[in-house]
Each structure stands twice: as structure tokens, then as C-alpha cells.
Amino acid sequence: MKNADYDNLNFRYFSNPMDFMLMGLFEWRDSTESDKSTATFEKLQKALTAIDRQHCLCQVYREDHSLVEIAENRLQDVPSDDVINTLTEKKLIGDCVVHLGVELGISIGDIKETMHNFPKDLNGQINDLLVKWKNWEKSDRTKPTIYRLMVTLKRIKSAAGLAFVKKAYGVE
């Protein structure tokens, strides 16, 4: 990655290191593949070694199954608009726009579009991602469920958001 590209990423995502790292990976993947080359972990590892950076991408991600115990039938419903809106209005999610989008299964193109359409409006970005996710009929993604939203909130470490959703749906 050229220094100017790195500086641009840093300028746009400096406030959230997770967003910076994820967007950096997406930019690297896109630039590699636009050169008709396949982006592989081996290439990424060589690049990180060349700049004397240690990586932790090969760590095994162990799924937290604590929410599976409460995955009742009613949690397979689509979350209500009121819940989606309250998560945004009460600022219960945080500042992890890219991480939220990735965990919800939204494409990087849609995440970038949201960030472009709502510059400097964190709540607008979060709400837009949640609405895009909820309107799953228009995409090939899996059905958005209350359970899936809870798993996402847990993964992005949104304790306030998770607590709200649990309370809204009577989950203990």
C-alpha cells in the first residue's frame, strides 16, 4: 500500500482502530484483486513480515455459545423497527460502524456507501446499516433475527445495546 493510501485510511478511520484495520484489509484485498491477482493470507503474511509487523490473523476465533442457550423460537423473528430505532436514538451501539456492518453480514460496498451518505453522522451510519440489514428480502443474506442481532451486539462488545435488546424481548 502506498503511503498516501495509508495516510488516507488513517485520516478517515483514526478514531476507531478496528475500523481502520478492517478497511485497510478491504482496501488491500481490492487493490490486489484489481491487479488480477488473488489476495491470499500468504501474501498478506509476507507483506507484514516485510514491514516487520507481527500479525494475529491466524488466531482461531472460538464462537461464544452463551446466547445459544436462549435461542428460543421467538428470537427467530425479525427485530421490530422500534428496537432498531431505539438502539440508534439512545446511542446504545458505540462507534464501530465497520465492525457492526461486517458482523451483520453487510457487504463492504454497502458499508462504504453508508459512510459516504452519512459523513460525520455516526448515528445515521449505524441506523442505515441496521435498516439495510433488516431489509434482507432485497438481498441474498440470511434472515435478520433478534438472535442474530444479539450475537452481533455481543461480538462488537455493545453491552448497553445487548442489554436493551434482551430486556425488550424478555430474555434473561
Side-chain angles (χ1 to χ4, degrees):
M1 182 177 289
K2 296 176 183 170
N3 283 341
D5 295 335
Y6 177 86
D7 291 342
N8 184 35
L9 278 174
N10 190 28
F11 176 76
R12 291 174 64 198
Y13 306 106
F14 74 92
S15 64
N16 190 315
M18 176 64 82
D19 287 357
F20 176 70
M21 289 185 289
L22 288 170
M23 292 306 284
L25 283 172
F26 287 121
E27 291 289 329
W28 168 76
R29 180 201 65 195
D30 292 348
S31 68
T32 299
E33 293 186 353
S34 69
D35 291 338
K36 307 247 186 237
S37 179
T38 304
T40 65
F41 180 74
E42 182 181 0
K43 289 178 183 177
L44 179 59
Q45 186 177 20
K46 285 180 182 179
L48 290 171
T49 302
I51 61 170
D52 198 28
R53 286 289 194 126
Q54 186 176 5
H55 70 85
C56 58
L57 295 173
C58 60
Q59 292 181 8
V60 175
Y61 179 74
R62 303 228 185 269
E63 184 73 34
D64 181 353
H65 293 284
S66 62
L67 291 174
V68 170
E69 298 167 7
I70 60 171
E72 305 165 20
N73 256 357
R74 64 191 168 97
L75 298 182
Q76 300 310 313
D77 293 333
V78 176
S80 71
D81 288 339
D82 289 339
V83 166
I84 297 296
N85 292 334
T86 302
L87 283 168
T88 304
E89 290 165 6
K90 291 191 175 184
K91 302 176 183 178
L92 298 175
I93 292 186
D95 67 347
C96 50
V97 174
V98 177
H99 193 187
L100 173 67
V102 168
E103 290 294 344
L104 291 172
I106 297 173
S107 73
I108 190 61
D110 283 344
I111 295 169
K112 286 180 176 181
E113 176 186 58
T114 292
M115 295 176 85
H116 175 75
N117 290 343
F118 297 90
K120 298 184 182 182
D121 181 3
L122 180 62
N123 290 328
Q125 292 175 2
I126 289 171
N127 187 266
D128 191 60
L129 289 177
L130 289 170
V131 168
K132 282 180 180 177
W133 170 72
K134 189 172 182 256
N135 294 328
W136 65 282
E137 296 93 359
K138 300 172 188 168
S139 72
D140 58 355
R141 294 189 297 269
T142 58
K143 177 183 175 185
T145 63
I146 297 162
Y147 174 75
R148 184 79 209 131
L149 178 59
M150 290 170 53
V151 168
T152 294
L153 293 170
K154 185 169 179 105
R155 284 183 179 169
I156 65 170
K157 297 177 177 45
S158 175
L162 181 58
F164 168 75
V165 172
K166 283 182 171 181
K167 184 175 179 183
Y169 291 103
V171 176
E172 300 302 322

